[in-house]
Structure formats: C-alpha cells, structure tokens
Amino acid sequence: MALSDLNPVERNEEGIAAVLGILKQRLGERFQTGQAIRSQHAHTTTYIPTQAPDGVAFPETTAEVQEIVRACAAHRVPVIAFGVGSSLEGHTNAPGGGISVDTSRMNRILSVNPQDLDCTVEPGVTREDLNRHLRDTGLFFPIDPGANASLGGMAATRASGTNAVRYGTMRENVLSLTAVMADGETVTTGKRAKKSSAGYDLTRLLVGSEGTLGIITALTLKLQGIPQAISGGVCPFPSVEAACNAVIATIQMGIPVARIELVNALQMRAMKTYSKLDYPESPCLFVEFHGSDAGVAEQAETFGMIAQDNGGGPFLWTSVAEERTKLWKARHDAYWASLTLRPGAKGLSTDVCVPISRFAECVMETEADIAEMGLIAPIVGHAGDGNFHVLVLMDVNDPKEIALSEKFVARLNMRAIAMEGTCTGEHGIGQGKIGFLRSELGHSVDIMRTIKQALDPQNIMNPGKILPDAG
Ligand SMILES: Cc1cc2nc3c(=O)[nH]c(=O)nc-3n(C[C@H](O)[C@H](O)[C@H](O)COP(=O)(O)OP(=O)(O)OC[C@H]3O[C@@H](n4cnc5c(N)ncnc54)[C@H](O)[C@@H]3O)c2cc1C
C-alpha cells in the first residue's frame, strides 16, 4: 500500500519537540527515542509501511498515562496506545509522528472474584498471562486471538478467536473499562454487574475504538468455568463447500459447539509440515465441544453424522488434553505455517465475516478469485461465526503484486459487504480497511466522526485510523 493512500496526518514539529523534552525529563529511561524501538512500535504484523512514532513511553500507572496524555494534549501531539503490536491493519503506525504509549509495564492482575466469575486487570496483561494466573481457580478467559495479545489491545480491537462461537468476542466479555480520555481525564464506564441499562454504553463505545478515543488503563472481564469435559478433533472433507455446509448445518441445528474452524487444503498443506500434523491435505474442520462427559460425547457423535451427511469424515475425536493441545497449537500457528508456503514473502492477512447462511458461497467465490488471480493465499476461518481470514503471500518489493493483492482484498471486502457481512469480523479497521467503512456503514460513519470530534477535538488519539479523511 502506498503511503499516499493512507490518511495523511500533519506533523507538529514544535509540539513534538516540546513533548519529547517533557517526557524524557519525567520518565527518564522509561522514555525511549532510539530508531529501532520506535520502528518496532509502529511495525505491526502487516505489509503496510512503517510510520514510526517519535518516542515510546512506558508508563506504570493510570496517573502516568494521564500525565503523558496531558503533555500531548497541551502541545497537540498524537498519542498512540500500544499493547504487543500484533494488530494487522497498521493500527499502531504514527502517520503524524507522536508518542507511542507502551502498556507492557501495566501488567498487574488487580483482582479475581471467583464467586462472581470476573476479574480486573491492567491493559498490558496478555491473554496467556491471565490464563496462567487463573489456572488453579477452575476459571479461564476464553477470548484467544492467534497472537498472545494484550487485553488492552484486544478490547481496543474488539478481538475474538476460535472460542467466539460459544463465548462471544471482547464485546460480550468486557464488563467495564477505565480509560484516560483525550483531555487527560479518566473515566470508568461501569461496575461489576453482569448487566446494566444505565445510560449510554460507554464500555461498548471504547471496545473496538482502536485507541482513537482513549487509552484503556484497566479492564473488568467476565470469566468462564473450565468445562468438566472437553472433546475435539479434526474432520476432513472432499471440498471446501462440503466443509462449509457442515458448519452451517451444525450452527443451524443449535449444536453448542465451542470451536469450529475451517482450514482449506492449501493451509492444511502448510500446517502438516509446520506443525507435523498427520491429516489428509484436504479441507478440514477443527472442532471442539465443552460440557459434561456424556454431553461432549453426544455432541461429537452428532457432529460426526452431520459431517458424514456432507461427504466428510472420518471425524476422529479425543478427550486427551495433550492431543487437543497439539491440534489447537497448530491452529493458532496457522499464520506462521502459511509463511513457509512462499519463503521470503510477506503476508497480507485480511478478514471478513458474513451471515452463516452465506458462508459457503463467500468462501467458494473467494477461493475461485484466488485461483483466477494466480495468488498464493491460504484460508482459515472461525467458521461458526461466518468469519474467515485469507493470508495473501506476496513480494512486497513488487508493486504489481501489491496492486494485485490489494485488488483481491477490495473484491473480498465488497463481496462480504454485498452478502450483508462486514469488511472485518475481528481484526479492525486501522489504516488498511478505512476505504471500506462507508460502503459497509454509510451515514453511521458521520455519527462516528461526530463522536470522535466531541471526545477528541484536537484529533490526538491515534489519528489517521478508522475514519476516512478526517483522521
Ligand atoms: C498470528 C496472528 C493471529 C491473529 N489472530 C487473531 C484472531 O484470531 N482474532 C483476532 O481478533 N485477532 C487476531 N490477530 C490480530 C491481533 O492479535 C489482535 O488485533 C489483538 O487484539 C491486538 O492486540 P495487541 O495487544 O497486539 O494490540 P496492538 O497491536 O498493540 O494495538 C492494536 C490497536 O489497539 C490500540 N490499543 C492497544 N492497547 C490499547 C489500550 N490500552 N488502550 C486503547 N487502545 C489500545 C492500539 O492503539 C491499536 O490501535 C492475530 C494476529 C496475529 C499476528
């Protein structure tokens, strides 16, 4: 993607120089301006060119985040929140320079309330940290993007993962947030009650706001009990259409599947080698059930019958934890496995989501498009939600390949929108998807801009993201 295609944000050299001085004095070693660390904080896992911030701050408390934001507000300098940098659409780039606020030192688990099944954490806690901490409580936090992302970043991108079909996304699992807003004031958006109809839902406004409205400094999250029994396995299919139809039937029959993931034949080829899996090189569904011993066995058998009706199988499933862990590790490593299909290439990862009844049609049309355009682009999907990802492997030094890949992504996004779906089920808009937002949401984009202008009139919070033109 050419830089000129991205939302431009004007640099405020004088303001930036002033803030660099203030933060160096205030934070000392916890404020870094070296080239490598600045690039690392812009360079997310994307083909979009790096636009580095001018400095990286490592606050340890909400009060320090407030000080940083106040300094930036006083001098009209961009502030870009940073979790672990695993976002895929140029989210942490700094097109107008400014200060990256790295939350990795805000990594305390503030409370766990087993009786209420909730916890409160700082934003730099990662999903794996949290689940390690919870291990002895019988509870877990189910949202699992493929990367070990920070919970602040996950809330900010409204992330989900393989478990969303059963447990929902960050939207359903955040009870309340504390955030530092553009004027440096903090807001706490709710209490710990499981539901509330008290006023505008600011929690859900901040979830998915990608750091453009405020910096999250604490999150209260719902937790789940670890199921008594878990079973799961892999089921091969003769075609991607058959696999998708089995997913649709499973969801429409109301089988309470916990995970149901599509892996197409090319992706399976990569995963077989990378993760040493012993399955056929054909489209497969990775499936998991949570419940009682009898319940998971019954669900697995019912799913096996649906698979058979669609020409798939055998569905080999197991309750043995080590075997299941191997399968899901392979699924989470799918991105890295794909990169081995074309050594030296960079991956353009894009995601769309459609109503479940259109899932097979959307995946098949996309596979046909990939073949017609001569791309190497494996597909994986959180199929139960109608959500899938395509990783286009391309030579980023070849402008023709970049143009072709972008054309493919545009067609994919417009296809999903035409099927009453969305241009992003979980990765977010960042810079890469700005061009599709109006096609999907029309006048809603103007309402979003009004909200942005009201809450961040100077446009300092992660400018150049989500909204077209106006930053
Ligand atoms: C291999 C791989 C697999 C992936 N699989 C999935 C998947 O299955 N599902 C999925 O949803 N995503 C997936 N992703 C994308 C990514 O992991 C998610 O978007 C994740 O939520 C980003 O979290 P992060 O900590 O890396 O955030 P970052 O990349 O650091 O930041 C992302 C955005 O959030 C903002 N932000 C970060 N922290 C805060 C904060 N404290 N307050 C306010 N704003 C903040 C940033 O400004 C930025 O706009 C995958 C990525 C990779 C590399």
Side-chain angles (χ1 to χ4, degrees), residues 9-20 54 71-78 94-99 458-460 463:
V9 178
E10 216 174 296
R11 275 182 72 80
N12 168 7
E13 297 297 354
E14 214 177 297
I16 289 170
V19 168
L20 289 182
D54 294 279
C72 289
H75 296 277
R76 215 179 166 154
V77 166
I99 307 303
Q458 298 197 96
N459 191 25
I460 60 166

Side-chain angles (χ1 to χ4, degrees), residues 101-164:
V101 179
D102 182 317
T103 57
S104 59
R105 290 187 184 216
M106 298 180 73
N107 61 356
R108 284 157 291 225
I109 293 168
L110 301 173
S111 64
V112 177
N113 303 300
Q115 304 93 326
D116 295 322
L117 284 86
D118 69 42
C119 68
T120 300
V121 301
E122 290 187 329
V125 175
T126 69
R127 66 176 184 85
E128 289 182 4
D129 289 343
L130 178 58
N131 278 325
R132 255 191 301 276
H133 183 87
L134 293 172
R135 196 174 283 156
D136 298 331
T137 64
L139 301 172
F140 78 115
F141 182 68
I143 316 298
D144 64 335
N148 183 21
S150 73
L151 291 158
M154 287 167 59
T157 53
R158 207 185 294 130
S160 51
T162 64
N163 282 312

Side-chain angles (χ1 to χ4, degrees), residues 45 81-88 91-92 103 123 145-147 149-150 152-154 156-157 159-161 210-211 214-216 335 382 426-427 462:
T45 318
F82 186 92
V84 306
S86 67
S87 47
L88 295 161
H91 289 75
T92 63
T103 57
S150 73
M154 287 167 59
T157 53
S160 51
E210 300 184 5
I215 299 187
I216 298 162
Y335 177 92
H382 307 312
E426 55 182 24
H427 291 169
N462 205 4

